[in-house]
């Protein structure tokens, strides 16, 4: 698609303040998604736009949003209690980013009549309500959960009344909104909004769920799919690399790469599979990269996430360890490399992760670590996502580096039980995440050597986990020095005091505090046979009851009152027991299997 200058829009032309801000931001030409969608939205069409990550979708909806609100203001000025536009994004990071770009425009003198409010989780909803009432914003940038909560709140706010004049709704990263389980929330929000509005839906991929959302939220939409000239789904200026290595070599390979000329002076994002992995490695890695700023961010962090991202933006050579919470929406143009500890849970996430680099026509690089048995993933990505991977040549990483690196990891864990605990949680959570991989036909847990994987995390010993009963773990390398796990101490004073109290209780009672006594799982053959016979007897009793009921209805009619003599005390007790079991099942206090067994539903 040919690119146009921002000043070339003439149906209708962009207003002077909007153009001035765009020029101040050094954007001379429109990107393909902007060229395609902005004229349609200004012509009051509903638009569903599909475009690769980093293609300029934010300006593609902010510019028409401001133009539409200005147009209405010239006819009828906006009142403090009127909300003219809502932008919904899947994560607070993306919402903050959109709000910052929007604020750049609103600082212009001729746009200062418009006010915006950022509404996301992590802060007090009461404070949000007070600000909405006192400031009277005309634009809301929000996450779906918090917005739904505000609509449902009763009181002085009455958000449903404020959106009656809504002109424009934006659903940004719609596919991600649905991936995170916000479908019902979005539908609830749509029910509060007026039908006579413009809606823009922007997504990186078009899924069945997105199509359903288009039908529900857009009226006769124009569908726009903006593809780059190349046949790949990732940005043109992005180079994708892979490196095949053993599981116990991943950490030393990552260190080697970060110290190499390719990445030594670069801003790097490293994706890990779980929050626990980020927690552990962000504690440990600074000990190996003392000349670099190493930051960690994941979905379980709340208010800290904004500060971490701001610091990552400011530091030139920072390394950011993260989960998929940042796979979408983070716009830091200077990111040089995206590294993936292992393939993401699904192929689409691969595209979103690597899309954090090579943004806004900058060049970028991405690297994924693969195990020897995962080499088929290269072909899979080429077929499934049209992504070409090339082998990375950053110099050989010697296995001679493994022993000294492990020794340092072992000493760090031995010196602080807090780090040891994080290491175990990281490893176990990684294995659990890997077992649920969408590409499990290629990435099979049974092909992984858990011993090597645990070595890669520098564990002091193999943890107890069900997978070890059936999978190999022969190549585990433990510490070269003697260590008693039960005597590891926390550096954190409060945690160590709590541990010592538990040790004291254990020495006095023989029971570790907080652990429940488990009944013996095994039972004798006689007990098993008796349980089966009891189950069979109950089943036969229920069958007899049904036959008696049918016979009684045949004789006296279906509405005939049952005689008291029909039921013995044993029958009544059994009925009460059945009701009790059903209530337990409903409250998830017993499993369905146990319920069926107690009710005698299972066959022998």
């Amino acid at each position: 698609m040919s690119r146009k200058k921002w000043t070339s829009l003439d149906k209708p032309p962009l207003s002077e303040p909007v153009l001035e801000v765009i020029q101040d931001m050094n954007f001379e030409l429109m990107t393909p998604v902007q060229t395609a969608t902005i004229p349609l939205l200004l012509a009051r069409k509903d638009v569903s736009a599909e475009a690769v990550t980093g293609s300029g979708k934010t300006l593609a909806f902010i510019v028409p949003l401001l133009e539409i609100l200005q147009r209405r203001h010239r006819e009828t000025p906006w009142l403090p209690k009127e909300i003219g536009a809502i932008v919904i994004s899947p994560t607070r990071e993306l919402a903050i980013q959109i709000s910052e770009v929007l604020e750049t425009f609103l600082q212009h003198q001729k746009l200062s009549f418009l006010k915006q409010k950022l509404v996301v989780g992590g802060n007090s909803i009461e404070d949000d309500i007070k600000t909405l009432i006192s400031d009277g914003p005309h634009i809301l940038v929000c996450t779906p959960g918090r917005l739904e909560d505000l609509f449902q709140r009763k009181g002085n706010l009455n958000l449903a009344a404020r959106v009656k004049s809504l002109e424009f709704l934006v659903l940004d990263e719609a596919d991600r909104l649905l991936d995170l389980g916000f479908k019902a929330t979005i539908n609830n929000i749509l029910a509060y909004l007026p039908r006579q509005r413009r809606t823009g839906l922007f997504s990186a991929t078009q899924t069945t769920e997105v199509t359903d959302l288009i039908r529900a939220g857009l009226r006769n939409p124009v569908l726009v799919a903006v593809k780059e000239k190349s046949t790949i789904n990732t940005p043109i200026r992005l180079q994708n690399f892979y490196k095949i290595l053993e599981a116990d070599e991943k950490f030393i390979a990552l260190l080697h790469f970060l110290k190499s000329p390719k990445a030594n002076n670069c801003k790097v994002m490293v994706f890990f599979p779980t929050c626990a992995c980020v927690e552990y490695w962000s504690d440990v890695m600074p000990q190996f990269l003392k000349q670099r700023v190493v930051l960690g961010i994941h979905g379980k962090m709340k208010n800290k996430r904004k500060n971490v991202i701001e610091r990552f933006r400011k530091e030139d050579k920072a390394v950011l360890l993260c989960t998929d919470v940042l796979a979408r929406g983070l716009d830091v143009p200077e990111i040089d490399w995206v590294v993936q500890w292992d393939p993401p849970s699904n192929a689409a996430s691969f595209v979103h992760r690597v899309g954090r680099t090579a943004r806004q026509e900058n060049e970028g690089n991405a690297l994924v670590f693969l195990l020897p048995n995962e080499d088929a993933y290269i072909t899979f990505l080429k077929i499934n996502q049209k992504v070409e991977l090339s082998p990375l040549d950053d110099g050989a990483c010697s296995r001679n580096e493994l022993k000294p690196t492990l020794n340092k990891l072992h000493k760090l864990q031995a010196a602080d039980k807090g780090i040891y605990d994080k290491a175990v949680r990281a490893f176990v959570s990684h294995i659990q995440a890997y077992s649920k991989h969408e590409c499990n036909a290629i990435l099979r847990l049974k092909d992984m050597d858990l011993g090597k994987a645990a070595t890669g995390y520098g564990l002091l010993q193999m943890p107890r986990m069900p997978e070890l009963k059936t999978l190999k773990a022969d190549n585990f390398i433990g510490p070269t020095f003697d260590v008693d796990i039960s005597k590891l101490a926390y550096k954190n004073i409060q945690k160590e005091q709590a541990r010592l109290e538990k040790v004291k209780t254990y020495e006095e009672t023989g029971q570790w505090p907080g652990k429940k006594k488990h009944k013996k799982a095994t039972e004798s053959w006689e007990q098993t046979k008796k349980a089966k016979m009891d189950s069979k007897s109950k089943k036969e009793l229920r069958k007899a009851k049904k036959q008696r009921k049918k016979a009684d209805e045949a004789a006296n009619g279906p509405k005939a009152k049952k005689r008291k003599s029909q039921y013995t005390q044993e029958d009544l007790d059994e009925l009460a027991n059945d009701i009790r079991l059903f209530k337990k099942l409903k409250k998830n206090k017993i499993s369905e299997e146990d319920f069926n067994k107690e009710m005698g539903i299972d066959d022998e």
Side-chain angles (χ1 to χ4, degrees):
M1 180 180 291
S2 60
R3 300 186 63 183
K4 298 180 179 179
K5 289 187 176 182
W6 286 94
T7 52
S8 66
L9 277 175
D10 55 0
K11 295 182 180 179
L14 293 180
S15 62
E16 180 184 337
V18 172
L19 276 176
E20 285 182 8
V21 177
I22 290 172
Q23 289 167 358
D24 290 341
M25 296 169 75
N26 295 320
F27 293 134
E28 294 182 4
L29 298 176
M30 302 169 69
T31 65
V33 68
Q34 292 160 0
T35 304
T37 58
I38 290 176
L40 291 170
L41 290 168
L42 291 178
R44 305 193 67 79
K45 302 284 187 183
D46 281 7
V47 175
S48 170
E50 177 190 357
V52 296
T53 183
S55 57
K57 292 193 287 288
T58 303
L59 281 188
F61 61 74
I62 282 184
V63 168
L65 179 152
L66 293 171
E67 293 291 345
I68 289 171
L69 295 193
Q70 280 188 102
R71 191 185 303 168
R72 151 61 212 272
H73 185 70
R74 286 192 291 268
E75 297 172 0
T76 309
W78 288 101
L79 299 175
K81 288 189 177 182
E82 287 184 309
I83 292 173
I86 295 176
V87 181
I88 302 176
S89 76
T91 65
R92 70 184 70 173
E93 284 74 29
L94 181 53
I96 291 169
Q97 203 162 262
I98 294 168
S99 178
E100 289 172 351
V101 175
L102 182 58
E103 191 59 36
T104 304
F105 284 87
L106 299 186
Q107 286 172 0
H108 193 285
Q109 185 178 359
K110 292 183 179 179
L111 293 173
S112 59
F113 67 90
L114 292 172
K115 296 180 182 179
Q116 67 143 329
K117 168 65 178 169
L118 178 67
V119 181
V120 296
N123 50 331
S124 168
I125 190 169
E126 284 74 20
D127 292 342
D128 284 342
I129 292 172
K130 288 178 183 176
T131 308
L132 286 169
I133 293 173
S134 61
D135 293 355
H138 309 106
I139 306 168
L140 295 185
V141 181
C142 49
T143 48
R146 178 53 59 94
L147 182 61
E148 182 188 31
D149 201 356
L150 287 171
F151 271 120
Q152 293 174 346
R153 289 277 174 139
K154 295 179 180 179
N156 298 331
L157 177 61
N158 192 6
L159 189 60
R162 289 173 179 253
V163 299
K164 285 183 178 179
S165 301
L166 189 79
E167 289 281 342
F168 194 28
L169 169 69
V170 176
L171 298 171
D172 192 24
E173 300 286 3
D175 47 348
R176 181 65 172 158
L177 281 168
L178 299 173
D179 287 345
L180 293 174
F182 286 123
K183 184 176 181 180
T185 301
I186 295 297
N187 287 332
N188 290 340
I189 291 169
L190 292 176
Y192 287 100
L193 305 181
R195 290 177 178 269
Q196 298 297 326
R197 65 168 193 271
R198 297 284 60 77
T199 303
L201 183 147
F202 294 81
S203 64
T205 55
Q206 197 74 275
T207 63
T208 305
E209 290 80 8
V210 171
T211 304
D212 292 341
L213 185 56
I214 291 170
R215 292 195 191 102
L218 282 69
R219 302 173 66 194
N220 301 318
V222 179
L223 304 180
V224 176
V226 179
K227 303 291 184 182
E228 302 227 26
K229 288 182 180 179
S230 68
T231 57
I232 60 174
N233 285 337
T234 53
I236 292 175
R237 291 171 177 80
L238 172 65
Q239 295 186 74
N240 284 293
F241 299 97
Y242 70 89
K243 194 173 183 68
I244 293 180
L245 33 77
E246 296 289 349
D248 56 2
E249 296 174 333
K250 280 191 177 183
F251 183 53
I252 59 172
L254 179 58
L255 292 176
H256 176 79
F257 169 75
L258 292 173
K259 293 175 182 178
S260 70
K262 287 184 180 293
N264 187 40
N265 294 311
C266 296
K267 187 169 286 191
V268 183
M269 287 183 73
V270 185
F271 281 93
F272 288 93
T274 69
C275 299
C277 292
V278 173
E279 284 275 344
Y280 171 57
W281 289 118
S282 59
D283 269 6
V284 166
M285 199 173 291
Q287 304 298 322
F288 295 85
L289 296 172
K290 295 187 182 293
Q291 305 302 317
R292 303 281 290 270
V293 173
V294 179
L295 305 169
I297 189 169
H298 56 75
K300 292 181 180 178
M301 295 170 67
K302 300 298 180 184
N303 299 329
K304 293 181 180 179
R305 277 156 51 178
K306 181 181 178 181
N307 295 332
V308 172
I309 291 173
E310 284 303 314
R311 190 175 177 197
F312 181 58
R313 281 199 175 103
K314 292 174 183 176
E315 297 287 347
D316 292 333
K317 301 189 295 180
V319 178
L320 179 63
L321 315 183
C322 58
T323 59
D324 276 337
V325 71
L326 291 188
R328 303 282 282 271
L330 180 68
D331 188 11
V332 181
E334 307 83 19
I335 294 173
D336 302 290
W337 280 90
V338 169
V339 181
Q340 303 183 65
W341 182 262
D342 64 352
S345 59
N346 59 68
S349 292
F350 184 97
V351 174
H352 298 311
R353 284 180 174 186
V354 300
R356 296 311 96 210
T357 184
R359 298 177 71 83
Q360 299 178 13
E361 300 188 353
N362 292 319
E363 293 185 352
N365 306 277
L367 169 65
V368 60
F369 290 151
L370 298 174
L371 300 177
N373 59 282
E374 296 174 341
D375 57 346
Y377 190 76
I378 301 166
T379 307
F380 169 77
L381 266 187
K382 184 176 180 179
I383 297 170
N384 187 276
Q385 293 293 323
K386 300 182 178 63
V387 175
E388 294 270 3
L389 296 179
S390 305
L392 179 73
D393 181 16
D394 65 337
C397 178
S398 174
R399 281 190 67 87
N400 293 334
E401 299 174 34
L402 182 60
K403 285 188 177 180
T405 304
L406 285 178
N407 190 48
K408 192 169 183 178
L409 287 172
H410 292 152
K411 286 181 178 179
L412 287 170
Q413 292 180 34
D416 184 1
K417 191 175 188 298
I419 294 179
Y420 169 73
D421 289 346
K422 286 182 179 181
V424 173
R425 282 196 294 269
F427 170 69
V428 172
S429 67
H430 179 193
I431 299 304
Q432 290 173 343
Y434 195 90
S435 68
K436 299 170 184 175
H437 208 290
E438 190 179 88
C439 309
N440 52 19
I442 300 171
L443 310 175
R444 297 183 294 261
L445 183 61
K446 66 179 182 179
D447 294 333
M448 184 187 289
D449 186 325
L450 296 188
K452 285 186 177 181
T455 300
Y457 279 81
L459 298 189
L460 294 174
Q461 66 176 23
M462 289 295 294
R464 294 179 182 178
M465 50 196 300
E467 290 82 1
L468 292 176
K469 293 178 181 178
T470 55
L471 302 178
K472 59 183 178 181
D474 304 328
N475 296 301
F476 176 70
I477 302 175
T480 55
F481 53 89
D482 293 332
V483 57
D484 187 346
I485 303 296
S486 64
K487 293 182 180 178
L488 291 183
Y490 290 101
K491 277 191 176 179
N492 182 288
I493 297 174
Q494 288 80 11
K495 282 190 173 183
E496 180 57 17
Q497 286 178 345
R499 187 190 74 84
L500 291 174
E501 288 175 5
K502 288 181 179 180
V503 169
K504 185 179 179 181
T505 303
Y506 176 74
E507 290 173 350
E508 292 173 353
T509 64
Q511 180 69 25
W512 191 263
K515 283 192 176 181
K516 295 181 180 179
K517 291 183 179 179
H518 295 287
K519 293 181 180 179
K520 196 174 180 181
T522 57
E523 59 182 16
S524 65
W525 179 83
E526 288 83 6
Q527 289 174 315
T528 304
K529 184 178 179 182
K530 184 178 182 299
K532 282 187 176 182
M533 292 300 293
D534 289 344
S535 177
K536 185 177 180 181
S537 300
K538 288 177 182 178
K539 187 176 180 181
E540 289 175 347
L541 178 60
R542 289 182 185 82
K543 189 176 180 181
K545 276 185 184 179
K546 287 180 180 179
Q547 290 175 344
R548 240 184 358 252
K549 183 179 178 182
K550 286 180 180 179
D552 186 54
E553 287 179 352
N556 305 313
K559 293 184 180 179
K561 290 185 178 180
K562 295 180 178 64
R563 297 185 300 275
K564 284 187 178 180
S565 59
Q566 277 184 286
Y567 299 97
T568 65
Q569 186 59 43
E570 183 181 354
D571 292 339
L572 294 173
D573 291 343
E574 187 173 351
L575 180 61
N577 185 56
D578 290 350
I579 294 170
R580 180 179 58 81
L581 286 171
F582 181 78
K583 286 182 178 179
K584 278 191 173 184
L585 176 67
K586 195 173 181 181
K587 294 179 179 178
N588 293 323
K589 290 185 177 180
I590 60 171
S591 67
E592 191 171 349
E593 184 181 350
D594 291 336
F595 173 80
N596 290 339
K597 185 176 179 182
E598 289 290 334
M599 293 292 289
I601 296 174
D602 288 342
D603 294 326
E604 287 187 74

